[in-house]
Amino acid sequence: MGREKSHEIFARAQQLMPGGVNSPARAFGAVGGEPVIMQRGAGAYLYDVDGNKYIDYIGSWGPMILGHAHPKVTEAINAAVRQGTSFGAPTEAENTLAELIIEAVPSVEKVRLVNSGTEATMSAIRLARGYTGRDVIVKFAGNYHGHVDSLLVAAGSAAATLGVPNSPGVTAGTTKDTLVLAYNDVPGLEAAFAEHGSKIAGVILEPIVGNMGTVVASPEFLKALRELTQKHGSVLIFDEVMTGFRVAYGGAQSLNGITPDLTTHGKIVGGGMPIGAYGGKAEIMDHVIPVGQVFQAGTLSGNPIATAAGIATLTTLRDEDPYPRLEQLSDRLARGLVEAATAVGLPHTLTRVSSMLTLFFNGEQVTSWDSASKCDTAKFGKYFWGLIDRGVYLPCSQYEALFVSAAHTEADIDATVEATKAVLAGL
Ligand SMILES: *Cc1c(COP(=O)(O)O)cnc(C)c1O
């Protein structure tokens, strides 16, 4: 399949934007080669500028759970845009979206809308610190919470190290109060609380990780997190920017039965428009300005177009309940991928929760960044390009989750499995 136009456009883009992209995950750095320039999406498919069609498993990195250009979402956006794009004043639709989130998500009693997942986690962390009057934030290696300065931290060699910046431009001062621990490591967590407990403002985690590939938190780990934070008066923050309304309508916390103090959202709650949200216990949320003292603001927060897209997406999910179908389709895909990998003797592990899944090119069980990082990423890169050439658009990194949408069909899934078999056999 030809990609000449993509190549020309990307050549120009590289002169205009750093790396030719507005977000690094799109640059195909992890698989080599150039990104495909997309023109439009419809349902489960993307069409590039050269006219090639792809079965899409990125779904804009999560938001498009209903598929691209879903009629209800498109209609809602069209209706909203005719009324004006931004007022900088309260609207009734903000109540509607807030109510939908509060009704769905067990931990959320009050919510604030922002413009991205990054803004949501940044604000939740500030609130945890402002609420507790403490400085230290605990995060876990391999979890991603957006490009928040204080969370762009690399874990040191010791099990529990105070963070060092992992991006130039992030000061040591900014990260010195961030503690990086290993995911699913209960003794490590206990040790950190034993040593720093009275200084820990909050713990932030992906309750099901998507950002090192799909990795599931053990029940023991979640239980320890809830007990230790409660015991030490620290705020437990679930970052559900990816898992919210994805793994279930009520997010990961509705599956695992652990209720955090604060929850962050993004992606699906904006239905493909830029949005984020942070919410939780009213008692904590009321520390946010203008009731409380913790500052947080946004010119475009609660934007009418984003709010309309979010409402249309959440009400469709609530009313049509595609989750059982997503489970079936995703299970079918997972079984097919495992069968394909097994047939060629590829060492692999498949992790899946609902419509989020990852085929790790790694024979070991993947429970943390340590085990995830042992994947054969070179082989994954070849697999990725093999699938692109067969019209299947997978996340362009081993360390990203693949998403199935409600628009996918069994035929799409079977075609993806067949393509995988063909590609893996040739590796
Ligand atoms: C995508 C993501 C973010 C960041 O959201 P943006 O809208 O890209 O800023 C934060 N946390 C998690 C878990 C995410 O998956």
Side-chain angles (χ1 to χ4, degrees):
M1 70 174 35
R3 286 190 291 268
E4 292 76 20
K5 265 195 177 170
S6 264
H7 175 70
E8 278 168 35
I9 292 168
F10 188 61
R12 179 75 182 125
Q14 283 173 292
Q15 298 167 339
L16 302 170
M17 292 165 274
V21 290
N22 282 312
S23 187
R26 308 172 191 166
F28 281 26
V31 288
E34 293 183 352
V36 180
I37 311 295
M38 293 302 175
Q39 190 158 58
R40 68 187 181 91
Y45 312 117
L46 285 175
Y47 300 83
D48 72 14
V49 288
D50 289 286
N52 301 306
K53 177 183 176 184
Y54 305 90
I55 306 174
D56 176 27
Y57 291 100
I58 297 186
S60 188
W61 302 95
M64 311 317 297
I65 190 168
L66 295 174
H68 297 281
H70 187 280
K72 285 191 179 149
V73 180
T74 305
E75 232 171 77
I77 292 172
N78 281 339
V81 85
R82 284 193 288 269
Q83 316 253 25
T85 49
S86 183
F87 316 126
T91 58
E92 190 176 6
E94 290 161 78
N95 288 4
T96 309
L97 185 55
E99 274 163 4
L100 283 163
I101 296 171
I102 290 165
E103 276 163 20
V105 186
S107 65
V108 181
E109 297 170 2
K110 274 194 181 176
V111 65
R112 171 123 333 148
L113 301 178
V114 293
N115 301 290
S116 69
T118 296
E119 249 190 82
T121 58
M122 178 183 77
S123 307
I125 280 166
R126 184 182 305 140
L127 175 56
R129 286 173 161 157
Y131 172 72
T132 57
R134 300 174 182 177
D135 293 342
V136 175
I137 293 290
V138 173
K139 70 152 282 183
F140 297 94
N143 284 212
Y144 176 68
H145 307 292
H147 63 101
V148 179
D149 275 12
S150 63
L151 299 179
L152 289 177
V153 178
S157 51
T161 41
L162 283 169
V164 287
N166 71 353
S167 164
V170 175
T171 65
T174 312
T175 55
K176 79 171 175 35
D177 292 318
T178 309
L179 199 57
V180 186
L181 306 181
Y183 200 72
N184 274 325
D185 175 9
V186 176
L189 188 65
E190 286 170 344
F193 268 95
E195 193 181 340
H196 305 284
S198 64
K199 297 194 203 107
I200 296 176
V203 179
I204 186 165
L205 76 151
E206 295 184 70
I208 296 162
V209 190
N211 287 291
M212 54 175 153
T214 309
V215 175
V216 181
S218 73
E220 301 76 45
F221 180 60
L222 290 166
K223 189 163 165 274
L225 275 165
R226 185 61 283 184
E227 286 174 2
L228 286 165
T229 47
Q230 234 146 25
K231 181 169 160 214
H232 291 270
S234 311
V235 177
L236 180 61
I237 308 167
F238 275 10
D239 180 357
E240 297 228 40
V241 170
M242 189 178 280
T243 52
F245 299 90
R246 163 62 62 182
V247 294
Y249 188 67
Q253 59 197 268
S254 72
L255 294 180
N256 65 31
I258 300 285
T259 305
D261 303 303
L262 293 178
T263 300
T264 56
H265 284 96
K267 299 193 170 123
I268 289 175
V269 294
M273 294 294 292
I275 212 166
Y278 68 104
K281 289 197 176 118
E283 187 246 329
I284 302 178
M285 289 304 290
D286 280 341
H287 281 69
V288 176
I289 198 164
V291 220
Q293 301 292 315
V294 176
F295 190 79
Q296 184 267 311
T299 303
L300 295 174
S301 292
N303 173 267
I305 316 300
T307 306
I311 293 168
T313 300
L314 299 196
T315 49
T316 304
L317 290 172
R318 183 194 62 193
D319 300 343
E320 295 182 3
D321 187 19
Y323 297 97
R325 204 179 102 76
L326 285 168
E327 173 67 27
Q328 258 176 17
L329 286 172
S330 307
D331 178 58
R332 188 180 181 98
L333 178 60
R335 285 165 191 268
L337 294 179
V338 165
E339 195 186 298
T342 306
V344 296
L346 175 79
H348 66 277
T349 306
L350 190 135
T351 39
R352 178 178 77 83
V353 180
S354 184
S355 56
M356 238 174 105
L357 62 101
T358 302
L359 177 68
F360 288 103
F361 283 41
N362 177 349
E364 282 180 38
Q365 227 196 328
V366 178
T367 55
S368 68
W369 178 239
D370 267 359
S371 41
S373 59
K374 288 176 189 154
C375 291
D376 187 343
T377 52
K379 197 168 255 185
F380 176 84
K382 288 185 193 147
Y383 166 60
F384 169 84
W385 279 109
L387 283 197
I388 287 272
D389 287 336
R390 284 168 177 77
V392 179
Y393 191 64
L394 290 184
C396 50
S397 162
Q398 169 74 90
Y399 301 116
E400 299 283 357
L402 170 167
F403 298 112
V404 177
S405 83
H408 284 84
T409 62
E410 290 191 352
D412 294 327
I413 301 296
D414 295 347
T416 304
V417 170
E418 287 313 308
T420 294
K421 282 183 182 158
V423 171
L424 289 184
L427 285 190

